[in-house]
Amino acid sequence: MQLLLAVVSSGYAVGAALGWGSEELAEIMGDFGLSAAGLLAAVSCFTYARAIDSRERPAWLLFAFSSLMGCCGNAVWGWYEVVLGEAVPKPSLADFAFLCFAPPAIVGLLVLAKRPVTRAGWVCLGLDSWLIGGSLLTLSWSLALAHAARTAQSGAPGSVPRAALSLAYPLLDIALVSMVLVLHFRRSETNRSAVNTAIAALALTVLSDALFTSPLLSAEYQSGQLLDAGWFAGSLLLAYAPWGARRLHPGPDPVAHARAERPHSRPITGSLPALTPYLAAAVCTLGILYNVVDGRKVDRVVVFTGCTVVLALVIRQGIMLLDNIALTQELAQKENHFRSLVQGSSDVIMIAAPTGTLRYVSPAAAGVYGREAEELVGTELATLIHPEDLGRVVHEVRRFLAAPPAEEPTTRIECRFRSGGGEWLNVESTVNRHQGGLILNSRDVTERVRLQAQLQHSAEHDPLTDLPNRALFTRRVRQALTGRRAGDHSTAVLFIDLDGFKAVNDTIGHQAGDELLIEAARRLQDSVRAGDTAARLGGDEFAALILGDGSRDRSAREYQVHEIADRLRTTLSQPYRIAGSEVRVAASIGVAFADPGITPSDLMRNADLAMYRAKAGGKDRVEMYAPQMQAEVVRKAELAGRLRTALHDGEFALLHQPVVSLASGEISAVVAQARWRSAQGILFTPAEFLRVATYSEGGAGEGGAGEGGSAPRTAVPDASRTAELGRWLLEEAVGQAAERHRAGHDVPVAVRMTAQRLLDRSMPLGSVEALLTRNGLPSGALVLELAVSDPRVPFDDLERRLAALRRLGVLIALDGFGSGYAAISALRRLPVDMLKLDRGLVEGVVESPRLHKITAGLLRIANDLGMQSVAEGVDLPEQVMALRAMGCTHGQGMAFSGPLDEYRLRRALVRGTFPVPGGAAQPALAGGSPGGSMVIHRGSHNETPVPPA
């Protein structure tokens, strides 16, 4: 648009300079061409005024009206010259239109001017306008207007209108020029480009008017001459002003905004508003001197105007003097205020030159840094910053100074600062720009940094042992796997668990347990290398990260790490001196190596699996991770899922195995056993579908290893599933026993239950009693086969619980007697009605004389205490005869019957007896029942008094 504007204006000027080729075309271009340009400016300003919604709209409407008047004046001028072919009369409608050009423009400029906020400001605005206008009037009057006035006084016909018209043009132009100059010094910041362009357009128009009214050109002027190019360019420039500026600046320009905010040194431009009164007075003086030098008599208009200009100058200077006094007092007050703020602030305020030298330091430096402010002034800032922080600070300062101020007015720097005592203080500084240098507002944050370090340490370390906790240990493992050691697969993680620690807490208290953990942590920390990490994960679980040495020999590295782990195990297993007594615990350690592509969580999981394998393998040992451990975990999870599904879908069936009198062959009881019925209808024993170690819950492991025989006890991989299976077994066994009793089969049912399960708090205290009451099972019809396999079982609580059950008529059998070190203690302390020999004492009783003597001795103890005895796993006739000869009263196994379903069990109960190998015989020792039924003698041994049933 700018290029188009320049081309069109230049073309018009060239055409006017060359006379347009003909007089007629010159008149057309000089009249209607200027009219078209004025109309274009009027339409442009009017359209822009309708498009905006601000305080500038009236100004642009006035500019549109002013341009329209110029358009009309040139149109009337063309009507006379081009259409009618006559000279334009003076005065005419064209003169009226031209005279209406300046007043709207003057008012529009006043609208655009920055409005004063005080009355004194309005007075100064008026005075400035009169100073400019009066001085121009004085000069113009001396040069030309006096001649026009004298012509009007001559009294010639038509001279008065012509003189008035000659005076009106320059006077209005003087007023317009005054507004242009005043607006230039007081223009608003809003849409400055458009306003400046409009001012330039009006100034060009006024200049053309001044040349037109001068005596030298007014007599010789004809339409289409070069003077018209000034009016034409002024109209086009006014038409371009709003739209060209808007196109150039469609939105806020951050670069221009930053450039505007950046301080510039422009003394000449900034001094022009202050010099305006003096310049006006100088112009006025020139007008008076022109009259004096020319030898003319001083005109009264010149004298009067000059006096008013001088008076306005004096009044304005008086106002400025009062303003200066008020500003000086306000400035002094603000300086005192800010000086008090700076000197009384607890923060240290420093001003650094672009070279880094401190030019000012506030007095607070004495209290913060321990150094006087005068001592710091002139010091290089770099010499006060810690050498380790200097590079970072310099980089941040350079980056900050290179950034645009509008985008980043301030920055924050934290570094260590040398104090007067020589120690390093943690200082936080807010940095601002200042004349190419910096202003630093600094404060001492040493205590905050120390507190943050303490909080960080507390968040990452165990509060008891001060070792790294799980979060920090995991991060160290991640760093070892992803840092520069990422390709070193000899890095290892050790998981350590203290065996027997719970017993320490239970026996000598938690305080002693804490002391043991602290000592164990100290031993662990002292045993690892400087670059390794020892951590406490929680409870009595510890871990160690052994960084790799870059070795590619996996077997040699495994041997080395195994030695380290074994040394740790030995160190941690040494006796501890706690509370004046010697305490011993062992350590089970699992080791896992960082295989290629392994994640930190997987590596720690592998070490955890290896540690649990070490505990399951006998404790106090080191176990290396192997991939099959994870496969075993997956398999256990699958078994748990299968068991859960089987329980919920009703796939478990209840079988019963008869307990037979070895003397008479009569069925004295039945033992409830669980079986899983697969989708193909096959019944599996617990040993066949729960392949894990040490099953100890709910009697689910009672079945035979073959077709109905006794099976070894196994464990369920999920304790909650085990408990659920135990509850189902107990409820089903009691319910079916009650139905058999109502059908006339008064045979007790035996259900296996562990001591831990019987004392489990998740099991309601009266659940067994409520079950018996709900099903109406009579006294003596339920036998609980108690398995005591954990030495940590509290016998006091167990004794009270069993005594309460015996008062309801529940019979107690000590299951698995002869296996495990807890059997004799349980026999001594618990109210037991019968002993059930472990199958390990039965299988070799015929072949092994040694086992024969052991079994016979245990049976003698049972008979001496007046208890019934039941042998489990009696599968051969020879075993029946041998056990009966040793005094065993009852047997269970394939020698009589395997587990039976309900239909076959009732048929067996109707028959009542099984054939006994060797024929019926009386037991050799006392305590048996000649009739063969399971009769319980309520008398007991001396150690355990039994309350009456």
Side-chain angles (χ1 to χ4, degrees):
M1 290 184 65
Q2 293 176 345
L3 181 61
L4 179 63
L5 177 65
V7 169
V8 174
S9 300
S10 301
Y12 190 95
V14 171
L18 299 178
W20 295 105
S22 67
E23 184 178 351
E24 183 179 359
L25 180 60
E27 290 180 350
I28 293 174
M29 295 302 297
D31 296 334
F32 291 111
L34 294 180
S35 178
L39 180 62
L40 178 63
V43 173
S44 175
C45 293
F46 179 76
T47 306
Y48 178 71
R50 289 178 57 104
I52 63 174
D53 186 14
S54 65
R55 60 179 294 269
E56 297 180 7
R57 174 183 286 183
W60 291 101
L61 289 175
L62 290 170
F63 291 156
F65 180 75
S66 177
S67 299
L68 183 62
M69 291 297 99
C71 169
C72 294
N74 286 299
V76 172
W77 199 287
W79 174 263
Y80 280 105
E81 284 191 340
V82 178
V83 178
L84 299 180
E86 301 177 358
V88 181
K90 293 186 179 181
S92 66
L93 290 177
D95 294 321
F96 174 77
F98 288 144
L99 290 176
C100 290
F101 173 83
I106 293 173
V107 177
L109 291 175
L110 289 175
V111 172
L112 290 178
K114 184 187 296 183
R115 297 180 182 179
V117 295
T118 62
R119 293 182 179 179
W122 284 105
V123 173
C124 289
L125 178 62
L127 293 175
D128 290 343
S129 302
W130 175 243
L131 284 172
I132 298 174
S135 60
L136 293 177
L137 177 61
T138 302
L139 186 61
S140 301
W141 189 272
S142 300
L143 295 176
L145 297 183
H147 175 72
R150 284 192 296 270
T151 302
Q153 294 176 359
S154 63
S159 60
V160 174
R162 291 190 185 92
L165 188 61
S166 300
L167 291 175
Y169 278 116
L171 291 177
L172 289 175
D173 287 340
I174 288 172
L176 186 57
V177 168
S178 301
M179 288 299 102
V180 168
L181 293 176
V182 170
L183 180 60
H184 176 72
F185 298 136
R186 293 178 175 269
R187 60 183 180 272
S188 174
E189 298 296 331
T190 306
N191 201 4
R192 173 174 286 190
S193 298
V195 174
N196 287 341
T197 307
I199 291 175
L202 294 175
L204 186 59
T205 303
V206 169
L207 178 62
S208 300
D209 287 344
L211 294 175
F212 173 74
T213 56
S214 65
L216 297 176
L217 297 178
S218 60
E220 302 296 334
Y221 172 77
Q222 291 182 358
S223 297
Q225 292 181 348
L226 189 60
L227 184 61
D228 291 346
W231 285 313
F232 185 81
S235 297
L236 290 185
L237 197 60
L238 186 60
Y240 164 80
W243 307 105
R246 179 184 253 193
R247 185 186 66 83
L248 290 175
H249 304 285
D253 187 358
V255 177
H257 180 68
R259 191 176 300 157
E261 289 189 352
R262 187 176 303 169
H264 295 283
S265 178
R266 298 182 299 172
I268 297 178
T269 306
S271 303
L272 283 178
L275 293 176
T276 300
Y278 304 100
L279 294 175
V283 172
C284 184
T285 303
L286 289 176
I288 297 174
L289 290 176
Y290 177 78
N291 283 275
V292 174
V293 172
D294 197 27
R296 300 178 184 177
K297 181 181 178 181
V298 178
D299 196 289
R300 286 177 296 178
V301 175
V302 174
V303 174
F304 176 78
T305 305
C307 292
T308 56
V309 168
V310 173
L311 180 61
L313 177 61
V314 172
I315 295 174
R316 193 184 188 288
Q317 291 301 105
I319 294 176
M320 290 182 62
L321 180 60
L322 294 177
D323 284 345
N324 288 338
I325 294 174
L327 289 175
T328 301
Q329 293 176 350
E330 183 179 356
L331 180 60
Q333 183 180 1
K334 289 183 177 180
E335 285 182 353
N336 292 331
H337 176 69
F338 285 109
R339 184 179 296 107
S340 301
L341 289 177
V342 170
Q343 294 180 352
S345 174
S346 59
D347 294 349
V348 180
I349 299 175
M350 300 182 293
I351 299 178
T355 59
T357 304
L358 293 177
R359 297 189 306 190
Y360 172 81
V361 179
S362 65
V368 176
Y369 299 146
R371 305 178 67 173
E372 295 297 331
E374 294 78 6
E375 179 185 349
L376 291 174
V377 174
T379 307
E380 290 289 337
L381 185 60
T383 61
L384 303 174
I385 300 176
H386 196 284
E388 296 179 0
D389 300 338
L390 182 59
R392 176 174 53 83
V393 172
V394 171
H395 175 75
E396 175 62 21
V397 169
R398 289 177 178 174
R399 185 203 60 79
F400 170 67
L401 293 177
E407 296 179 2
E408 190 173 4
T410 63
T411 188
R412 189 176 64 87
I413 295 176
E414 190 168 328
C415 63
R416 285 168 289 181
F417 201 88
R418 187 190 301 275
S419 68
E423 66 271 12
W424 294 100
L425 303 176
N426 292 93
V427 175
E428 181 186 63
S429 301
T430 302
V431 184
N432 295 270
R433 299 172 180 84
H434 176 70
Q435 297 180 358
L438 300 172
I439 296 180
L440 298 95
N441 191 347
S442 306
R443 62 199 62 87
D444 183 9
V445 293
T446 304
E447 290 301 323
R448 189 195 71 186
V449 172
R450 289 176 181 171
L451 179 59
Q452 287 177 344
Q454 292 176 0
L455 293 176
Q456 183 73 15
H457 184 85
S458 300
E460 295 179 340
H461 289 76
D462 176 58
L464 179 64
T465 63
D466 203 39
L467 289 179
N469 58 12
R470 182 181 292 272
L472 179 57
F473 183 77
T474 303
R475 186 161 69 250
R476 295 274 179 86
V477 173
R478 183 178 295 107
Q479 292 172 356
L481 296 182
T482 59
R484 59 185 179 88
R485 298 178 177 270
D488 187 359
H489 306 308
S490 59
T491 297
V493 169
L494 280 62
F495 266 44
I496 307 163
D497 186 83
L498 299 182
D499 304 321
F501 175 74
K502 186 177 185 302
V504 175
N505 276 340
D506 295 341
T507 54
I508 60 178
H510 289 274
Q511 179 65 32
D514 291 344
E515 294 180 13
L516 189 149
L517 290 176
I518 294 173
E519 177 61 20
R522 185 191 62 78
R523 295 183 184 183
L524 179 60
Q525 185 68 49
D526 294 342
S527 300
V528 298
R529 300 173 301 180
D532 298 334
T533 300
R536 182 188 178 209
L537 305 183
D540 60 342
E541 290 188 358
F542 294 85
L545 172 63
I546 309 299
L547 296 178
D549 56 1
S551 174
R552 296 184 178 275
D553 189 349
R554 180 62 178 266
S555 59
R557 180 59 178 168
E558 288 183 358
Y559 178 77
Q560 180 184 4
V561 173
H562 191 281
E563 279 192 338
I564 295 174
D566 197 61
R567 186 172 66 251
L568 287 177
R569 181 193 61 80
T570 304
T571 302
L572 294 174
S573 300
Q574 295 295 323
Y576 295 83
R577 195 71 181 175
I578 305 296
S581 60
E582 190 176 273
V583 178
R584 288 181 177 270
V585 294
S588 296
I589 301 178
V591 181
F593 284 91
D595 295 327
I598 195 170
T599 63
S601 59
D602 289 343
L603 179 59
M604 296 174 64
R605 179 206 61 195
N606 293 347
D608 197 19
L609 290 175
M611 185 265 291
Y612 277 105
R613 173 60 65 89
K615 294 180 70 69
K619 303 180 180 180
D620 193 16
R621 59 196 301 264
V622 177
E623 188 75 31
M624 308 293 288
Y625 172 78
Q628 57 266 27
M629 294 182 183
Q630 176 63 19
E632 183 178 352
V633 172
V634 175
R635 184 179 61 82
K636 289 183 179 181
E638 292 176 353
L639 289 176
R642 292 177 61 191
L643 175 60
R644 184 184 302 110
T645 303
L647 284 171
H648 290 172
D649 295 347
E651 296 180 1
F652 275 88
L654 189 64
L655 303 181
H656 294 83
Q657 188 172 24
V659 177
V660 179
S661 172
L662 298 183
S664 61
E666 294 183 1
I667 301 176
S668 57
V670 292
V671 178
Q673 300 172 4
R675 291 293 185 273
W676 174 49
R677 181 183 293 106
S678 68
Q680 293 76 21
I682 303 174
L683 290 176
F684 292 98
T685 65
E688 292 170 319
F689 68 86
L690 299 175
R691 301 293 184 185
V692 289
T694 320
Y695 178 70
S696 58
E697 184 61 50
E702 284 275 35
E707 186 180 348
S710 296
R713 298 175 182 89
T714 56
V716 179
D718 190 341
S720 62
R721 303 280 76 77
T722 303
E724 188 174 354
L725 180 59
R727 285 193 297 270
W728 175 86
L729 177 62
L730 181 62
E731 293 175 357
E732 287 292 318
V734 171
Q736 293 187 19
E739 293 180 1
R740 288 194 295 271
H741 274 267
R742 286 192 287 271
H745 303 294
D746 298 332
V747 178
V749 61
V751 180
R752 175 173 290 162
M753 180 177 291
T754 64
Q756 292 89 340
R757 176 63 186 157
L758 190 61
L759 296 177
D760 190 359
R761 293 184 178 180
S762 63
M763 182 178 181
L765 185 60
S767 58
V768 178
E769 294 85 340
L771 186 62
L772 295 174
T773 303
R774 184 170 64 250
N775 290 276
L777 195 64
S779 176
L782 175 63
V783 180
L784 286 183
E785 296 182 348
L786 189 67
V788 183
S789 59
D790 193 342
R792 296 176 295 180
V793 173
F795 278 95
D796 294 338
D797 297 341
L798 184 59
E799 183 179 359
R800 287 191 294 269
R801 180 74 177 121
L802 294 178
L805 292 174
R806 290 188 76 228
R807 284 194 292 268
L808 294 176
V810 177
L811 307 179
I812 308 299
L814 187 58
D815 185 34
F817 190 75
S819 64
Y821 53 86
I824 298 299
S825 178
L827 183 62
R828 182 179 62 86
R829 299 192 56 184
L830 301 179
V832 179
D833 298 308
M834 64 186 71
L835 296 181
K836 193 166 186 179
L837 296 181
D838 185 73
R839 63 179 292 112
L841 299 175
V842 177
E843 289 177 346
V845 70
V846 178
E847 296 84 2
S848 174
R850 185 181 181 89
L851 185 60
H852 186 279
K853 292 180 181 180
I854 294 174
T855 305
L858 294 177
L859 289 172
R860 187 175 296 109
I861 293 174
N863 283 279
D864 290 345
L865 294 177
M867 298 181 182
Q868 297 286 344
S869 55
V870 179
E872 183 182 0
V874 182
D875 299 333
L876 303 174
E878 296 82 359
Q879 295 172 347
V880 174
M881 293 184 289
L883 290 170
R884 185 173 58 184
M886 286 186 285
C888 184
T889 60
H890 297 81
Q892 169 189 348
M894 291 300 296
F896 305 104
S897 173
L900 305 175
D901 58 20
E902 188 65 22
Y903 173 75
R904 294 178 181 177
L905 175 62
R906 293 203 179 194
R907 289 182 59 187
L909 292 176
V910 170
R911 187 171 65 249
T913 60
F914 286 97
V916 179
Q922 294 295 329
L925 301 175
S929 176
S933 61
M934 189 177 285
V935 179
I936 306 302
H937 299 276
R938 290 299 181 182
S940 183
H941 44 81
N942 296 331
E943 289 82 353
T944 308
V946 179

